Amino acid sequence: MTVEQNVLQQNSQKHQQTSLNQLREITGINDLQVLQQALKDSNGNLELAVAFLTAKNAKLPQPEEATYYQTALPNNDRYISVGSQADTNVIDLTGDDKDDLQRAIALSLEESNRTFRETGITDEEQAISRVLEASIAENKASLKRTHTEVWSDSPNPYDRKRQENCPVGLKNVGNTCWFSAVIQSLFNLLEFRRLVLNFIPPVTAQDVPRNQKEHRNMPFMRELRYLFSLLVSSKRKYVDPSRAVEILKDAFKSNDSQQQDVSEFTHKLLDWLEDAFQNKAEEERDGEKPKNPMVELFYGRFLAVGVHEGKKFENTEMFGQYPLQVNGFKDLHECLEAAMIEGEIESLHSENSGKSGQEHWFTELPPVLTFELSRFEFNQALGRPEKIHNKLEFPACLYMDRYMHKNREITRLKRDEIKRLKEHLTVLQQRLERYLSYGSGPKRFPLADVLQYALEFASSKPVCTSPVDDIDASAPPSGSAGTQPMSSSTESQGPSSSAEPQPSQRSVIHKPFTQSRIPPDLPMHPAPRHITDEELSVLEGCLHRWRTEVETDTRDLQDSIGRIHRTIELMYSDKLMTQVPYRLHAVLVHEGQANAGHYWAYIFDHHEKRWMKYNDISVTKSSWEELERDSFGGYRNASAYCLMYINDGEKHLIQEEYDKETGQVLTGMDTLPHDLREYVKDDNRHFEKELEEWDKEQLRKAEQEKMLISQKTLKPAPSAAPAAALKEPEYMEQPTRPELSSEIKEETASAITRAVTDSEDKGPEAVLRTAIKTEYARLLKLAQEDPPPEIDYRLQHAIVYFIQSQAPKKIIERTLLEQFADRNLSFDERCHNIMKVAQAKLEMIKPDEVNMEEYKRWHKDYRTFRETTMYILIGLELFQNKSYAEALLYLIYGYQYNKELLSKGVYRGHDEDLISHYRRECFLKNNDQAALLFESGEMEKVNNGLTLMNELVVPCLPLLLIDETDEKDIVAVEDMRNRWCSYLGQEMEPNLQEKLTDFLPKLLDCSTEIKGFNDPPKLLAFSTHELCERFARIMLSLSRTPADGR
């Protein structure tokens, strides 16, 4: 074979591989034989191959691949079905439109690299996932899972062991995420929990159920008590609610694959609880009317006042969960306003009206106020229900005063005022629109810009020639018979000259790039032909004046609109209308479509003052920002479905239980009645026995493996610490942060998938070798890229940080091997085998091959880098929210830790100047706040201001003075000192003068010794996703601010 033939063959193979990759990206089909056959049948034509594959409905991945991808999907075991709503960004390839096909190919080639770079997931994996999801949605019979391993527990009981003080999750026993979300929300109401735990079930013969309700309620109450007791004191990470769920299934008349509606279940649950407690209340009454604690807790009353066909009426009604419409409203208050008013409101206050309408006024609000957000509606045209994904905001603290019957007169006045303001607002917005969209044609522009353009046109250099005169001298390109001759040519040649060829004329060569250039004497923009200086002076004067007038009018309109918006927002903020606060306790979230989806709950931990996310067996720390993203709607398909507020004045709802004798807070087992305590202890003993048996089994297997190794090895190798004994880096495993481990698991699974596709040898060792190379290539590419400021790939993976920081090759290799040896990877047989090979390779690494002390130092530095990033982000977030006192410590520690990292290498930390700037600004803001408090003269505010200075600002000032090279820090310290020294010459009360005299020596101390410095704030657990998301948000917000912050 010649060199040319060899090169041609290589090019041909390369071209074929490129075509196969493009087909895989466009169609989502992973079967290599199917793709090769399609390419062969189409003679290499990519468009025909795509049409063939889409028309013939190419076969799906093999069963083991389908199982692999299905189990690899995040949180797949908790999803029931996928909605069938069409994606507007998807191009339909099933039709005959070739333009669509061509556009799909172009889009795929353009977007594939960018998608992989942003998500770490190949188009191939995304396409297969979409195919699997569509298959599940279309085939109702497949809703019931056939892969039982998805629902099974991990064989390792330590994976199911509860961490200390971590809340217990609930296992999804088959489409029961609705059950978990509601039960966890109620369980975390401590008053409700106490009522359930202390409920006394029938124990004697005469206490047997007397009717069908009791026959149903009593077993359920017994199982609910058992379930609650396990949630209190179980040693398991999550517990199984199967027995309680089984009792509920009969009531719903459902099968295993039907998903229940949260609203329906909550109504049914409260009905059962009400019946159960009603029987108990009747037995314990002493001649008085029995009080049902469930009614007292969850039910309120409202007064319906209205007019029906001219006749007035008043009705008092009881309510439990209050329904609210979502469609057409932007926040919860708008929903409530609409729900409280029906029909023609004017008719309620007028005589002799034939119209109908009514108002609702709450007369009695329950301690636990629950709102049902109606996010589903029936589409008559399609004949099916649809979910409303509109964004709906709701507050953490909801004031209900405006809806109370006692405030009806004030509320009506305020509603009238808001109505008047909104009418005025509409007029102003219409006027502003005329300024911002000026013109009578389809395209409109701001009037100020139109006047500016006119001014620029008038001020341009006048030209006295036609814009086409310079083109007349240029002959048209040869062969352009259809081009009309120029007027000047017509006049000079005569009417018949164009018909006869000119033999002596030389053929013109068309030069598009030279002939289209603008002659140097022509202006870049159109300009007037003739204009005198006097005309220009008058015109410029008028246009300047008109533009100034328009800008002034626009600014005045915008200011007026802003003032009206603020007035409306503050309409109910006066003291009289903020007397009935309700705090948000729980948010039940639904993700999916109307026919199927997944539920979880965000619940506020009132003791720890933080939000928690309860997602079946997973219970993780969360934040208000995450709650907003998932609950408000308008983002993905997730939105709040039910809101649970609690009366802020009734502290017993969330108050811990105390021992009557010692006064100590009761926790864990101490809160349980005797019978439940024994039940939990028995369950814990079973679990401890399971742990012991697992340890014995692992010890037996380890002994067997050692014997096998010793038999295979002639010379025993030096003993090395087992891989399991070496604790994996905290940021890689983090049992308290399952979201992070799942992200790394997905990246690893993606590398394994590509390795299986690319490797000829399908053995675990060969696949592992290829997968490691693939993953390293991906991370190396990220490390070498120059991303925008809002993206830092070092936060996504330790190896990117190591590569940029020039870590030793052995450190990087071992880190990659640890990733593939993670025991959490074994969710299918293929990954399990690869994990075993990786673990074996780790055990074979000798102590002299990798310096473990150095390995630990690198990973410790990376942990410090991530924590430093979080300190900086929290500090900047607090700074932007004007919480300067809280922000200061975060920025101080973020700066100090970052400085230590940068001392080891320029890529070890973040931009020092940026952090230094905001740290300095935070000092100045705190100083300004303290000075303003002192200037008020009120003793309480004065003391607060001096406390802020003495306890926070002054102890940290030496940090700004240590580095004398940063002149801005020294100037900032002088500005703070000058501010306080300026008070010395002013008249003030003697006690203020005394306090100032005591304070100034501390402030003016020029020592750089740090005294009484506070401990660093404690960081909550955070995931890689949260870290990167917050980093992007903060950096984007900073990019809109000038570099000097002013």
Side-chain angles (χ1 to χ4, degrees):
M1 182 181 292
T2 65
V3 174
E4 293 84 81
Q5 289 174 329
N6 188 27
V7 170
L8 286 172
Q9 183 177 0
Q10 290 178 356
N11 289 338
S12 175
Q13 293 174 349
K14 187 175 180 181
H15 176 73
Q16 184 182 14
Q17 186 61 42
T18 302
S19 300
L20 289 172
N21 291 337
Q22 292 172 358
L23 276 177
R24 184 184 292 113
E25 292 167 357
I26 295 168
T27 64
I29 296 172
N30 194 39
D31 193 312
L32 190 60
Q33 293 181 351
V34 173
L35 297 176
Q36 288 175 337
Q37 186 63 38
L39 203 60
K40 181 180 178 181
D41 293 345
S42 62
N43 294 323
N45 188 310
L46 194 61
E47 292 184 29
L48 291 177
V50 172
F52 172 81
L53 288 171
T54 53
K56 295 296 183 181
N57 208 359
K59 66 178 181 179
L60 294 176
Q62 297 300 319
E64 66 268 17
E65 293 178 341
T67 305
Y68 169 71
Y69 278 103
Q70 202 167 14
T71 54
L73 289 174
N75 301 329
N76 186 65
D77 59 324
R78 295 191 298 270
Y79 278 76
I80 288 87
S81 178
V82 180
S84 57
Q85 186 177 18
D87 188 346
T88 55
N89 296 323
V90 176
I91 300 173
D92 182 13
L93 298 178
T94 59
D96 297 327
D97 193 337
K98 293 185 179 180
D99 291 337
D100 281 349
L101 185 62
Q102 188 65 38
R103 186 156 53 96
I105 296 171
L107 275 175
S108 172
L109 299 179
E110 180 182 350
E111 296 294 329
S112 58
N113 287 335
R114 182 179 64 81
T115 303
F116 175 75
R117 195 164 57 246
E118 292 176 352
T119 64
I121 302 173
T122 63
D123 291 344
E124 169 194 341
E125 294 168 329
Q126 293 174 343
I128 292 178
S129 297
R130 288 195 297 269
V131 170
L132 288 169
E133 291 173 350
S135 174
I136 293 172
E138 292 169 0
N139 187 1
K140 294 296 183 180
S142 67
L143 286 175
K144 187 173 182 179
R145 277 173 168 67
T146 56
H147 303 289
T148 55
E149 67 276 9
V150 173
W151 297 107
S152 61
D153 294 325
S154 168
N156 185 350
Y158 285 96
D159 292 339
R160 295 178 272 116
K161 186 178 179 181
R162 180 185 183 183
Q163 295 182 4
E164 188 177 0
N165 298 326
C166 182
V168 179
L170 284 172
K171 182 180 178 181
N172 190 327
V173 293
N175 309 339
T176 56
C177 48
W178 47 273
F179 179 88
S180 302
V182 176
I183 289 296
Q184 291 282 22
S185 301
L186 294 173
F187 171 78
N188 281 277
L189 275 173
L190 299 188
E191 178 66 13
F192 180 85
R193 184 193 304 180
R194 284 189 287 267
L195 288 170
V196 171
L197 292 175
N198 294 315
F199 180 85
I200 303 175
V203 291
T204 61
Q206 56 266 31
D207 291 333
V208 294
R210 295 164 293 185
N211 53 48
Q212 186 177 357
K213 277 189 177 181
E214 290 187 23
H215 184 77
R216 176 199 64 195
N217 294 343
M218 293 308 168
F220 177 74
M221 284 302 301
R222 181 177 62 251
E223 296 303 332
L224 189 62
R225 290 180 75 242
Y226 288 156
L227 187 60
F228 271 30
S229 65
L230 291 174
L231 290 175
V232 169
S233 296
S234 177
K235 291 187 177 180
R236 302 176 190 269
K237 182 180 177 181
Y238 56 88
V239 294
D240 190 334
S242 297
R243 289 189 289 187
V245 172
E246 285 298 326
I247 298 172
L248 286 169
K249 283 183 178 179
D250 293 335
F252 284 115
K253 297 180 181 178
S254 66
N255 54 46
D256 291 343
S257 64
Q258 179 180 352
Q259 175 153 10
Q260 298 308 323
D261 179 88
V262 164
S263 173
E264 180 187 1
F265 167 63
T266 309
H267 278 298
K268 188 73 68 177
L269 176 64
L270 291 180
D271 285 345
W272 287 18
L273 291 169
E274 182 185 346
D275 291 341
F277 278 91
Q278 185 65 32
N279 295 332
K280 183 180 177 183
E282 290 175 354
E283 292 173 2
E284 297 176 354
R285 65 178 175 179
D286 266 340
E288 299 180 359
K289 185 178 180 181
K291 287 188 176 180
N292 190 319
M294 290 295 114
V295 176
E296 298 287 323
L297 201 57
F298 293 103
Y299 289 86
R301 297 179 184 276
F302 67 86
L303 180 69
V305 183
V307 175
H308 180 66
E309 296 180 355
K311 296 179 181 179
K312 292 186 178 182
F313 66 87
E314 284 190 10
N315 294 324
T316 301
E317 299 181 29
M318 181 179 286
F319 70 93
Q321 299 178 83
Y322 202 82
L324 295 175
Q325 293 296 322
V326 169
N327 209 4
F329 306 111
K330 68 176 183 179
D331 59 42
L332 186 61
H333 277 299
E334 285 192 2
C335 294
L336 276 166
E337 289 281 355
M340 305 303 281
I341 301 172
E342 298 178 10
E344 298 291 338
I345 305 306
E346 290 79 3
S347 65
L348 301 182
H349 318 297
S350 59
E351 299 292 336
N352 302 323
S353 173
K355 296 180 179 179
S356 299
Q358 63 175 309
E359 292 177 336
H360 290 178
W361 300 100
F362 292 118
T363 55
E364 183 183 345
L365 288 173
V368 181
L369 180 59
T370 307
F371 295 113
E372 294 177 8
L373 303 182
S374 180
R375 283 195 171 272
F376 298 133
E377 63 181 6
F378 192 81
N379 188 320
Q380 296 289 348
L382 298 177
R384 68 184 184 208
E386 289 186 340
K387 186 178 177 183
I388 302 168
H389 295 294
N390 298 352
K391 183 176 181 180
L392 183 81
E393 298 179 359
F394 48 84
C397 181
L398 178 69
Y399 291 99
M400 295 294 295
D401 303 77
R402 70 181 83 173
Y403 312 109
M404 301 301 295
H405 182 256
K406 62 182 179 181
N407 297 325
R408 64 188 183 283
E409 297 303 330
I410 300 174
T411 301
R412 284 169 178 165
L413 291 174
K414 288 182 178 290
R415 284 176 179 169
D416 290 341
E417 176 64 12
I418 289 175
K419 183 180 180 182
R420 186 189 66 80
L421 288 172
K422 286 185 174 180
E423 290 173 352
H424 187 202
L425 185 65
T426 302
V427 174
L428 293 177
Q429 288 172 334
Q430 290 173 349
R431 291 179 181 175
L432 179 63
E433 184 66 19
R434 293 171 190 162
Y435 281 93
L436 299 179
S437 299
Y438 185 79
S440 56
K443 292 186 178 180
R444 305 191 176 202
F445 305 92
L447 180 54
D449 292 348
V450 173
L451 294 172
Q452 177 64 26
Y453 300 153
L455 180 60
E456 291 173 0
F457 174 78
S459 304
S460 300
K461 179 182 178 182
V463 287
C464 300
T465 58
S466 167
V468 298
D469 285 349
D470 65 303
I471 305 176
D472 295 346
S474 305
S478 62
S480 56
T483 306
Q484 294 293 330
M486 301 297 180
S487 58
S488 57
S489 303
T490 305
E491 290 174 4
S492 61
Q493 294 177 6
S496 61
S497 61
S498 60
E500 298 177 5
Q502 302 289 335
S504 62
Q505 187 177 7
R506 202 167 72 181
S507 62
V508 180
I509 300 174
H510 181 47
K511 299 179 180 179
F513 294 106
T514 55
Q515 288 183 352
S516 62
R517 289 177 185 164
I518 299 175
D521 56 336
L522 266 186
M524 292 299 294
H525 301 287
R529 293 284 191 89
H530 305 285
I531 185 170
T532 65
D533 291 342
E534 292 179 0
E535 290 173 337
L536 180 59
S537 176
V538 172
L539 188 56
E540 283 183 339
C542 291
L543 290 173
H544 271 298
R545 185 175 70 251
W546 294 339
R547 186 170 184 270
T548 303
E549 292 171 356
V550 167
E551 288 178 340
T552 302
D553 292 345
T554 303
R555 190 164 48 251
D556 290 345
L557 285 168
Q558 290 171 336
D559 291 344
S560 298
I561 290 171
R563 282 194 298 271
I564 292 175
H565 276 301
R566 287 191 294 273
T567 303
I568 293 174
E569 289 173 2
L570 299 174
M571 186 63 69
Y572 293 100
S573 62
D574 54 276
K575 190 175 181 180
L576 186 64
M577 303 301 282
T578 53
Q579 300 297 308
V580 188
Y582 271 74
R583 295 283 172 186
L584 187 60
H585 165 70
V587 180
L588 278 64
V589 180
H590 175 268
E591 182 177 28
Q593 301 297 336
N595 58 339
H598 176 59
Y599 291 100
W600 68 87
Y602 289 101
I603 304 172
F604 190 70
D605 186 331
H606 300 274
H607 180 65
E608 297 291 337
K609 305 296 182 186
R610 68 184 177 211
W611 284 97
M612 302 291 292
K613 182 178 181 179
Y614 289 79
N615 196 349
D616 289 337
I617 66 172
S618 171
V619 182
T620 55
K621 296 173 185 175
S622 186
S623 62
W624 177 256
E625 290 74 22
E626 183 183 2
L627 185 152
E628 280 186 346
R629 185 193 67 206
D630 287 349
S631 305
F632 282 5
Y635 175 78
R636 302 185 304 174
N637 290 334
S639 53
Y641 188 70
C642 182
L643 305 177
M644 192 178 290
Y645 284 87
I646 58 175
N647 192 319
D648 199 38
E650 301 195 31
K651 301 299 182 184
H652 69 281
L653 295 172
I654 54 173
Q655 196 169 31
E656 300 283 353
E657 195 172 353
Y658 291 87
D659 188 284
K660 295 179 181 178
E661 297 179 359
T662 63
Q664 297 292 325
V665 176
L666 297 177
T667 58
M669 287 281 193
D670 296 334
T671 63
L672 301 179
H674 177 73
D675 63 323
L676 295 180
R677 200 175 304 175
E678 293 302 316
Y679 175 80
V680 175
K681 285 181 180 179
D682 184 58
D683 184 77
N684 287 341
R685 277 193 295 268
H686 281 90
F687 186 63
E688 287 170 356
K689 186 177 180 181
E690 190 178 348
L691 292 171
E692 291 175 4
E693 291 175 353
W694 172 264
D695 289 337
K696 291 178 182 178
E697 180 68 16
Q698 296 308 303
L699 186 61
R700 186 182 63 80
K701 289 181 178 179
E703 292 295 333
Q704 289 179 350
E705 288 178 3
K706 285 182 180 178
M707 290 178 62
L708 289 173
I709 292 173
S710 62
Q711 291 172 3
K712 292 179 180 179
T713 309
L714 295 175
K715 185 179 179 180
S719 59
L726 176 64
K727 183 179 179 183
E728 290 188 18
E730 180 184 350
Y731 50 85
M732 290 185 66
E733 185 176 5
Q734 288 183 350
T736 57
R737 303 180 220 163
E739 183 182 354
L740 178 60
S741 63
S742 69
E743 290 174 356
I744 291 182
K745 190 163 63 173
E746 289 170 17
E747 294 173 359
T748 310
S750 175
I752 292 173
T753 303
R754 290 192 296 274
V756 170
T757 304
D758 298 339
S759 299
E760 295 181 2
D761 184 357
K762 303 298 182 180
E765 189 164 353
V767 171
L768 173 64
R769 189 164 53 250
T770 307
I772 288 178
K773 289 180 180 178
T774 303
E775 178 70 353
Y776 178 73
R778 182 184 74 84
L779 297 172
L780 179 63
K781 184 179 180 182
L782 294 180
Q784 293 173 343
E785 283 188 10
D786 185 17
E790 67 269 19
I791 297 176
D792 192 336
Y793 291 124
R794 295 175 299 174
L795 300 174
Q796 297 182 13
H797 206 293
I799 291 178
V800 178
Y801 180 83
F802 292 163
I803 294 172
Q804 292 189 358
S805 303
Q806 298 180 346
K809 185 179 179 181
K810 292 291 185 182
I811 303 296
I812 296 175
E813 288 175 352
R814 177 165 188 120
T815 303
L816 267 174
L817 205 53
E818 291 276 7
Q819 178 177 329
F820 285 83
D822 185 5
R823 57 187 172 82
N824 292 322
L825 191 63
S826 58
F827 50 80
D828 75 345
E829 190 63 30
R830 178 190 298 159
C831 291
H832 181 78
N833 293 335
I834 291 171
M835 176 199 72
K836 288 293 185 183
V837 173
Q839 288 178 345
K841 287 185 176 293
L842 280 174
E843 292 178 2
M844 293 170 61
I845 297 176
K846 300 177 182 179
D848 56 345
E849 292 180 359
V850 177
N851 186 333
M852 292 310 300
E853 292 300 322
E854 185 182 19
Y855 178 84
K856 291 176 183 178
R857 281 198 302 272
W858 275 98
H859 282 277
K860 183 181 178 182
D861 282 353
Y862 183 62
R863 275 198 302 276
T864 303
F865 170 71
R866 286 167 58 92
E867 290 170 358
T868 300
T869 305
M870 186 54 76
Y871 274 118
I872 295 167
L873 294 179
I874 295 175
L876 292 173
E877 287 172 349
L878 291 169
F879 182 88
Q880 291 179 338
N881 293 330
K882 300 183 179 180
S883 301
Y884 303 119
E886 293 87 346
L888 185 58
L889 274 183
Y890 284 98
L891 290 174
I892 285 174
Y893 275 99
Y895 179 85
Q896 293 301 116
Y897 293 155
N898 190 69
K899 191 172 183 179
E900 293 173 11
L901 289 171
L902 289 175
S903 66
K904 301 177 182 180
V906 293
Y907 295 104
R908 296 285 193 99
H910 296 286
D911 182 3
E912 189 173 18
D913 292 338
L914 178 72
I915 310 168
S916 175
H917 166 76
Y918 282 97
R919 181 187 65 157
R920 182 170 55 250
E921 288 296 311
C922 201
F923 268 106
L924 293 170
K925 294 291 186 182
N926 280 294
N927 185 73
D928 289 344
Q929 286 187 347
L932 290 173
L933 290 171
F934 183 82
E935 290 171 3
S936 69
E938 299 179 19
M939 196 51 59
E940 184 179 355
K941 291 184 178 180
V942 169
N943 290 333
N944 289 341
L946 293 176
T947 300
L948 176 63
M949 294 297 295
N950 285 322
E951 295 184 1
L952 187 62
V953 177
V954 172
C956 302
L957 275 184
L959 294 171
L960 298 181
L961 300 171
I962 290 175
D963 189 2
E964 296 182 357
T965 58
D966 196 337
E967 187 178 346
K968 292 180 181 178
D969 284 348
I970 298 174
V971 171
V973 174
E974 289 305 313
D975 287 344
M976 288 187 273
R977 289 171 173 171
N978 291 337
R979 175 80 176 263
W980 289 94
C981 289
S982 66
Y983 298 141
L984 288 173
Q986 300 178 14
E987 294 184 4
M988 63 180 67
E989 297 292 332
N991 56 347
L992 294 181
Q993 189 70 46
E994 182 181 352
K995 288 180 179 293
L996 181 63
T997 305
D998 291 339
F999 165 67
L1000 279 178
K1002 304 172 188 175
L1003 180 65
L1004 299 175
D1005 183 8
C1006 295
S1007 170
T1008 56
E1009 180 184 355
I1010 300 175
K1011 304 171 184 177
F1013 196 49
N1014 294 344
D1015 293 331
K1018 187 177 180 182
L1019 291 177
L1020 300 176
F1022 56 88
S1023 67
T1024 297
H1025 173 76
E1026 178 189 356
L1027 184 62
C1028 295
E1029 188 180 65
R1030 293 173 77 169
F1031 182 84
R1033 185 169 63 247
I1034 287 295
M1035 295 308 294
L1036 282 172
S1037 66
L1038 295 184
S1039 67
R1040 294 190 288 268
T1041 307
D1044 62 355
R1046 292 189 291 273

